[in-house]
Amino acid sequence: VQAQEAAKNATRYNVTAGIARKKNKPLRLAAMSGLISGLTEKESVDYAPTGGLDSLREQWKQGLILKNPGLKNISFSLPLVSAGISHGIFVVSDLFADENTTVVIPAPSWENYSLIFKERWGAEYDEYPFYNSKNGFNIDGLRNTISTCRTDKIICILNFPHNPTGYTPLADEAWEICHVLRDAAEAGKKMLALCDDAYFGLFWEKEIFHESIFALCAELHPNLLAVKLDGATKEDFAWGLRVGFVTFAGKGLTEKHLDAITGKALASIRASVSSASMAGQQLLLKAMASPGYMQEKENALSDLASRYKAVREFVSLHPHKALYPMGFNSGYFLCMRTAGIDAQVLRRKLLDDKGIGTVAIGKEFLRVAWSCVDEEDIAPLFTEIWAAADGLAGTRR
Amino acid sequence: VQAQEAAKNATRYNVTAGIARKKNKPLRLAAMSGLISGLTEKESVDYAPTGGLDSLREQWKQGLILKNPGLKNISFSLPLVSAGISHGIFVVSDLFADENTTVVIPAPSWENYSLIFKERWGAEYDEYPFYNSKNGFNIDGLRNTISTCRTDKIICILNFPHNPTGYTPLADEAWEICHVLRDAAEAGKKMLALCDDAYFGLFWEKEIFHESIFALCAELHPNLLAVKLDGATKEDFAWGLRVGFVTFAGKGLTEKHLDAITGKALASIRASVSSASMAGQQLLLKAMASPGYMQEKENALSDLASRYKAVREFVSLHPHKALYPMGFNSGYFLCMRTAGIDAQVLRRKLLDDKGIGTVAIGKEFLRVAWSCVDEEDIAPLFTEIWAAADGLAGTRR
C-alpha cells in the first residue's frame, strides 16, 4: 500500500522500493540491455506489481470478452497475473483446497493436478474415465462421481482442450456439464468450477464449443464459483515466459465480492512468488499491441490446423488393430489406447529403436504431441508409431 | 523422466512436450521475436526444466565458490532455480515449516517472512530486536530467543545484508551467530539456517563479513541444515526477471542426501510454478558470459558505494534530535528510529507535502531506499527528510 501510494504521489523522490535506480531508471547491466533491446529498463528488470501490470490485466479482460462473447454482459473479476498457469492452479488450491474438499477430475489428466491438490493439500481425488463408450465426453461419469462425493466442497477440473486427450466438449456436451454442476450446486454442494483454459483457442473442429466453459459457469448458480485459468503460455506461444491469469466469477457475486476473492488470490501470489516476471508481461503486452499480432496468431493457428488435418487423415486411413485413437478435436495432442500393448513398452521401443520420444500414461495410453512436428512429418511419424506397435501385441493383458 | 529421456534420445521426433514447434524450433510470434532479438526461440519461449537450466545451475555453483572462498572444499548441492527469491522462501517453507516449527527472526524484518511462515503454515514466530544497545547485531537477543523456543524444529532467518536495516554482521558477529546456532544444534534442536542472501555483495564497509554466512553454516553441525537463497534479483540488477536459486548444505550430508533434499525442493517447485522463466534464465546466463559483465557489475557497485558514502556523510554531519540512523553498512537501505515521532505521520508528511515516498515500519522506523536516487540527490533528499521531521516531535509517545 505504501509503495502504491508512493508510485502515485512521490513526484520528487521515490525511495520505497528495494531496487537500484540511476537517473530515475532501474539500473540495468549493459550485458543484458543488448539482448532485450525492445524493452526499456523499466519494462524488463523492474519489479512488476504483485497482481500484474494494470494495463495487461485490463487488456486481457477485454480480450476475454472478445474471445468469449458469452461474457459480454456478465460480471467477472479483473484477471490477476500468475507466474504461469501452473501457478494459477497453485493459487486456487491455496485458497480453496483442503482435506474436506473433493477434486473431481477425468482420467487420464495432467499429473500436476494430483501433485497440487492431492499431494500438497490432501484433498480427496475422485477420478472418472474421460470418455464414454462413444469416444465423447463422459457426462455420466462426471455426474455419478459428483453424486457420490462425501465432502461438501467440490472442485471440478474442467481442462478444455484437454491434456492429454486433445478433446474439447461439443456445444451440447458443454451445456450438459453445466447442468450437472448446477444440479450439484442446487443440491447444496459448494462447487468450484476450475476452468483450466491453457489450450484455449486451439480448436480444430466446427462443432466444438468455441468459448471457455467459464462463460457458461460464470452465472450458473449462487453455490458455484467459476475460476478461469489461462495465459500467454499456449495462447501466445510463449510457454517459457511464465505469464498466466486467474479470473473469478459467480452468480450473485458483486464487484465487492470479486474484489475480496481477488485480494485473497493476490495474497497467495505475494506469499509464493511475490510477483510474476516483468519482462514476460511486457513482452506479451507489446506483442499484443503490435500491428501484425492478430495475423501472426492466425497464421500459427492455421499451420497447426493443417497438422491436425494430417493427423486426422492418417488415423482415418490407417486403422490399427491395437492402437485406438481416442476422441480428439483440439489442442496439441492425440492419445491412443493401446489394446493388448503395454504403452510403456511401446514408448521404450519407439525411443530406443526409432529415436522417437512419446509419453506413456500408465500402461494404457500413449500421448503424441503432434504440435511438435511439421505437417510433412506427421505421416512419417505416425507410420513409425504404427509399425512399432506391430509385434508388441500381448505385452499387456 | 519420460521427457528427460526423450530430450536425450529422441534423435528423430520428440513429441513429448506440450508446446508447438516449427522446423524444430519453438513456434514464436514475430511480434515477440523483434523485442528479444538477443534470444533465440529456444532461449526465450521454450519451457525451462523444472529445476532450471543445467548450465546456469553449474555456473551459479561455481560462482558461489568464487564469491565465498569458504565454500571451496565443502560439499553443497547444485543450486535449483526458483521463480525469484521469494519463491525460494516459499519452497523452504513448503519443505520444512509447520505448526511445530519456530521461526526465529529479528525485528524489524521483511514482512513476507511472516506472510509465508506464520500466515501460510502456522509456524511459531519468535522475534528479537535486530540491534543491541551499541547499534550492532543483537547476538544476545538471538541466543535468548532460541533458548526459549518450545519446538524442536527451529528455522533461523539470516538475511544479510538485512532488509530493512541495511546491516550485515561484522566478521566476529557472524561467527558468534554460528556459535549460537551450533550450541542449539548441539543441545538437540533441529536447526535450519535460512540464509537469505538477496542483497549479497552489496557490502560498503571493510569490516563486514564479506562471505555469505551460509559458508560458515555449511559444515557447522549434523543437526543443522543450511539453506542459501540468492539470485539475479539484486546481484545482477534484474529484480523483475524472477530468477532465484536454492542451495543446501549440512555437516555429514552426502551427495545422496543433498540430492534427496534437492529432489523434494524440485517437487515443490513443480507443484507451485512448474518452472521458472526461460527468458530470465537465458538473459542471466548470457549476461554472465558477456565480456563486459564483471566490469559492468563493478561499475554499478562502485556507483552504489558512492551513494552510500554520501548517505554516511550526511548522517554523520547532521545529527538529528529525533531521527536516529540505525547501524547500516550494506545493501540498499537506511532505517531510522523516529524518537517521539510517529513514523507513519512522518511518511505521510513527506509524501503529501514534499512528494517523497518512503516506507514506515510500524510507528518506530522509517526506511529509505537510498539506492533509488543518484549520488547528487542524496544530500537534498535527506535534507528534506530531516526538515520534515522537525515539528513532528510529540506525535508518538
Side-chain angles (χ1 to χ4, degrees):
Chain A
V1 177
Q2 296 190 11
Q4 282 166 19
E5 282 187 11
K8 211 183 296 174
N9 298 325
T11 48
R12 290 170 64 216
Y13 303 115
N14 186 354
V15 287
T16 54
I19 82 163
R21 287 202 179 85
K22 196 176 166 88
K23 299 194 189 306
N24 227 11
K25 292 175 189 166
L27 199 168
R28 183 169 71 177
L29 298 179
M32 275 189 193
S33 301
L35 300 165
I36 37 174
S37 48
L39 299 179
T40 66
E41 292 87 348
K42 211 176 152 33
E43 290 165 351
S44 54
V45 296
D46 204 353
Y47 282 116
T50 300
L53 293 166
D54 286 341
S55 50
L56 179 61
R57 297 172 66 185
E58 286 290 353
Q59 279 198 42
W60 196 260
K61 182 165 189 175
Q62 292 314 311
L64 289 184
I65 297 170
L66 291 176
K67 292 181 273 193
N68 303 279
L71 286 175
K72 202 168 181 185
N73 293 310
I74 284 182
S75 162
F76 61 99
S77 72
L78 184 64
L80 280 167
V81 177
S82 58
I85 301 177
S86 298
H87 186 230
I89 300 174
F90 168 81
V91 167
V92 172
S93 78
D94 195 18
L95 263 59
F96 299 105
D98 56 25
E99 290 166 13
N100 299 315
T101 306
T102 304
V103 171
V104 173
I105 186 164
S109 276
W110 190 42
E111 58 197 326
N112 218 355
Y113 291 116
S114 142
L115 295 178
I116 292 177
F117 285 104
K118 196 163 93 180
E119 309 298 329
R120 180 181 283 293
W121 301 113
E124 296 277 325
Y125 207 73
D126 281 4
E127 299 180 302
Y128 60 96
F130 186 91
Y131 294 105
N132 61 21
S133 59
K134 289 170 186 157
N135 238 348
F137 182 77
N138 184 7
I139 297 281
D140 290 337
L142 173 68
R143 185 185 298 111
N144 295 339
T145 306
I146 287 180
S147 71
T148 57
C149 280
R150 285 166 307 172
T151 62
D152 277 344
K153 293 201 296 177
I154 297 176
I155 295 176
C156 190
I157 308 287
L158 304 171
N159 165 225
F160 306 126
H162 180 243
N163 175 4
T165 63
Y167 188 83
T168 297
L170 314 186
D172 58 335
E173 290 175 325
W175 277 110
E176 285 188 72
I177 290 171
C178 291
H179 293 156
V180 169
L181 300 183
R182 197 195 48 203
D183 290 349
E186 183 63 27
K189 294 287 188 184
K190 288 178 192 158
M191 303 295 295
L192 190 151
L194 182 53
C195 309
D196 177 345
D197 291 347
Y199 296 84
F200 182 86
L202 302 161
F203 302 132
W204 316 126
E205 298 285 355
K206 273 202 176 151
E207 75 270 25
I208 292 176
F209 183 63
H210 271 56
E211 296 189 35
S212 167
I213 201 162
F214 174 80
L216 304 185
C217 293
E219 285 216 316
L220 204 56
H221 194 280
N223 281 348
L224 184 140
L225 178 68
V227 185
K228 187 179 201 303
L229 304 179
D230 53 20
T233 312
K234 268 94 180 177
E235 287 191 55
D236 292 286
F237 305 91
W239 308 273
L241 295 186
R242 315 314 293 140
V243 179
F245 296 90
V246 183
T247 310
F248 301 98
K251 184 164 190 163
L253 294 184
T254 63
E255 204 71 26
K256 223 177 199 170
H257 293 131
L258 292 171
D259 284 353
I261 300 171
T262 298
K264 287 193 175 190
L266 190 75
S268 170
I269 291 171
R270 189 171 186 212
S272 53
V273 300
S274 274
S275 60
S277 158
M278 171 65 104
Q281 291 181 59
Q282 290 284 358
L283 284 171
L284 177 58
L285 200 52
K286 290 189 169 244
M288 285 163 73
S290 142
Y293 172 70
M294 291 306 289
Q295 188 59 51
E296 288 162 25
K297 268 186 76 164
E298 220 166 278
N299 294 348
L301 287 174
S302 86
D303 178 356
L304 288 172
S306 317
R307 304 187 204 179
Y308 168 79
K309 268 182 206 145
V311 176
R312 171 66 58 201
E313 190 176 284
F314 184 94
V315 300
S316 303
L317 292 178
H318 304 86
H320 192 284
K321 65 182 189 300
L323 297 179
Y324 298 144
M326 309 303 295
F328 71 113
N329 55 23
S330 54
Y332 289 168
F333 306 120
L334 164 64
C335 234
M336 282 156 296
R337 194 188 295 273
T338 55
I341 293 177
D342 183 334
Q344 302 286 350
V345 173
L346 175 55
R347 177 187 85 88
R348 173 60 54 199
K349 181 176 175 185
L350 281 167
L351 189 59
D352 293 349
D353 297 357
K354 315 264 188 172
I356 295 176
T358 57
V359 170
I361 299 168
K363 298 187 162 196
E364 210 181 343
F365 296 102
L366 190 79
R367 188 189 81 173
V368 174
W370 50 261
S371 57
C372 290
V373 295
D374 296 337
E375 187 186 347
E376 61 267 31
D377 291 327
I378 296 282
L381 166 66
F382 278 89
T383 302
E384 295 275 16
I385 296 173
W386 258 224
D390 290 334
L392 290 184
T395 54
R396 181 167 72 88
R397 268 181 296 182
Chain B
V1 177
Q2 296 189 11
Q4 282 165 19
E5 282 187 11
K8 210 183 297 174
N9 299 324
T11 48
R12 290 170 63 216
Y13 302 115
N14 186 354
V15 288
T16 54
I19 82 163
R21 287 202 179 85
K22 196 175 167 90
K23 299 195 189 305
N24 227 11
K25 292 176 190 165
L27 200 167
R28 183 169 71 178
L29 298 179
M32 276 190 192
S33 301
L35 300 165
I36 37 173
S37 48
L39 299 179
T40 66
E41 292 87 348
K42 210 176 153 31
E43 290 165 350
S44 55
V45 296
D46 204 353
Y47 283 116
T50 300
L53 293 167
D54 286 340
S55 50
L56 179 61
R57 298 171 65 186
E58 286 290 353
Q59 279 198 43
W60 196 260
K61 182 165 188 174
Q62 292 314 311
L64 289 184
I65 297 171
L66 290 176
K67 291 182 272 191
N68 303 278
L71 286 174
K72 203 168 181 186
N73 293 309
I74 284 181
S75 162
F76 61 99
S77 72
L78 184 65
L80 280 167
V81 177
S82 58
I85 301 178
S86 299
H87 185 230
I89 301 174
F90 168 81
V91 168
V92 172
S93 78
D94 195 17
L95 263 59
F96 298 106
D98 57 25
E99 290 165 14
N100 299 314
T101 306
T102 303
V103 170
V104 173
I105 186 165
S109 276
W110 190 41
E111 58 197 327
N112 218 354
Y113 291 115
S114 143
L115 295 178
I116 292 177
F117 285 103
K118 196 162 93 180
E119 309 299 328
R120 180 182 283 293
W121 301 114
E124 296 277 326
Y125 207 73
D126 281 4
E127 298 180 301
Y128 60 96
F130 186 90
Y131 293 105
N132 61 20
S133 59
K134 289 169 186 159
N135 238 348
F137 183 76
N138 184 7
I139 297 282
D140 290 338
L142 173 67
R143 186 186 297 110
N144 295 339
T145 306
I146 287 180
S147 72
T148 57
C149 280
R150 285 167 307 171
T151 63
D152 278 343
K153 293 201 296 176
I154 297 175
I155 295 177
C156 189
I157 308 286
L158 304 171
N159 165 225
F160 307 126
H162 181 243
N163 175 3
T165 63
Y167 188 83
T168 296
L170 314 186
D172 58 334
E173 290 176 326
W175 277 110
E176 285 189 73
I177 290 170
C178 291
H179 293 157
V180 169
L181 300 183
R182 198 195 47 203
D183 289 349
E186 183 63 27
K189 294 288 188 184
K190 288 178 192 157
M191 303 295 294
L192 190 152
L194 182 53
C195 309
D196 177 346
D197 292 347
Y199 295 85
F200 182 86
L202 302 162
F203 302 132
W204 316 125
E205 298 285 355
K206 272 201 177 153
E207 75 271 26
I208 292 176
F209 183 63
H210 270 56
E211 296 189 34
S212 167
I213 201 163
F214 175 79
L216 305 185
C217 293
E219 285 216 315
L220 204 56
H221 194 280
N223 281 348
L224 184 141
L225 178 68
V227 185
K228 187 180 201 303
L229 304 179
D230 53 20
T233 312
K234 268 94 180 178
E235 287 191 54
D236 292 287
F237 305 91
W239 309 272
L241 295 186
R242 315 314 293 138
V243 178
F245 296 90
V246 183
T247 310
F248 301 98
K251 184 164 190 163
L253 293 184
T254 63
E255 204 71 25
K256 223 176 198 169
H257 293 131
L258 292 172
D259 284 353
I261 300 171
T262 299
K264 287 192 176 190
L266 190 75
S268 170
I269 291 171
R270 189 172 186 209
S272 53
V273 300
S274 274
S275 60
S277 159
M278 172 64 104
Q281 292 181 60
Q282 290 284 358
L283 284 171
L284 177 58
L285 200 52
K286 290 188 170 246
M288 285 163 73
S290 141
Y293 172 70
M294 291 306 289
Q295 188 59 52
E296 288 162 25
K297 269 186 76 165
E298 220 165 279
N299 294 348
L301 287 175
S302 86
D303 177 357
L304 288 171
S306 317
R307 305 188 204 178
Y308 168 79
K309 269 183 205 145
V311 176
R312 171 65 59 200
E313 189 176 284
F314 184 94
V315 301
S316 303
L317 292 177
H318 304 87
H320 191 284
K321 64 180 190 302
L323 297 179
Y324 298 143
M326 309 303 295
F328 71 113
N329 54 23
S330 55
Y332 289 168
F333 306 118
L334 164 64
C335 233
M336 282 156 295
R337 195 189 295 274
T338 55
I341 293 177
D342 183 333
Q344 302 286 351
V345 173
L346 175 56
R347 177 187 85 87
R348 173 60 54 201
K349 181 175 175 187
L350 281 167
L351 189 59
D352 292 349
D353 296 357
K354 315 265 188 171
I356 295 175
T358 56
V359 170
I361 299 167
K363 298 187 162 195
E364 210 180 342
F365 296 102
L366 190 79
R367 189 189 81 173
V368 175
W370 49 261
S371 57
C372 290
V373 295
D374 296 336
E375 188 186 347
E376 61 266 30
D377 291 327
I378 296 282
L381 166 66
F382 278 89
T383 302
E384 295 276 16
I385 296 173
W386 258 224
D390 290 335
L392 290 185
T395 53
R396 180 167 73 89
R397 269 181 294 183

